[in-house]
Amino acid sequence: MPLATLDDVAARLGRLITDEEKPKVTAFLEDASAFVADYCTGTWDTADPPAAFKAVVCAEVIRWLAVSPGVVSEKVGDIEVEFGAASAAQALSPAAMASLRRYRRKVGSLTLRRM
């Protein structure tokens, strides 16, 4: 189940989602929600996820909507665009992962000594 809705994305975009965009945005919502759930496995109540999850999912969907298919990287100053054979796979951005870091399961080590 997506962690955000079409209306959530539209509110952040500042415009309505067109009928032509709805299938793509719906798929992106499901994908981004799956990435967030996978990244934060086991650290939150699935019935009541943190509000930050909705913000991250919406931000990732909007970012994915802004990427042109086949574009690997784009630079604004002095206009530089790099095209690849296929578009890069969608994934959470470093900013999204930083926002979600506190919801990840902590891993550590424990030193044991025999007495």
Side-chain angles (χ1 to χ4, degrees):
M1 178 170 190
L3 296 167
T5 65
L6 288 169
D7 290 338
D8 294 328
V9 174
R12 285 157 180 83
L13 273 174
R15 66 172 177 82
L16 294 175
I17 305 296
T18 66
D19 288 338
E20 294 81 30
E21 292 175 312
K22 283 182 182 180
K24 185 176 191 175
V25 173
T26 300
F28 282 172
L29 284 167
E30 291 173 5
D31 293 347
S33 295
F35 281 127
V36 168
D38 187 49
Y39 189 77
C40 301
T41 298
T43 60
W44 49 283
D45 179 13
T46 56
D48 187 27
F53 287 12
K54 181 188 292 187
V56 168
V57 167
C58 289
E60 290 302 286
V61 169
I62 291 168
R63 183 176 66 86
W64 293 347
L65 287 170
V67 174
S68 300
V71 174
V72 175
S73 68
E74 188 172 4
K75 181 179 175 183
V76 176
D78 292 328
I79 306 172
E80 177 182 314
V81 178
E82 182 181 336
F83 294 95
S87 60
Q90 292 164 326
L92 292 176
S93 66
M97 289 188 283
S99 296
L100 297 170
R101 195 163 286 130
R102 66 182 264 185
Y103 300 104
R104 285 182 58 94
R105 188 174 291 164
K106 306 293 187 265
V107 177
S109 63
L110 178 65
T111 304
L112 299 175
R113 294 187 185 147
R114 178 178 259 183
M115 299 237 175

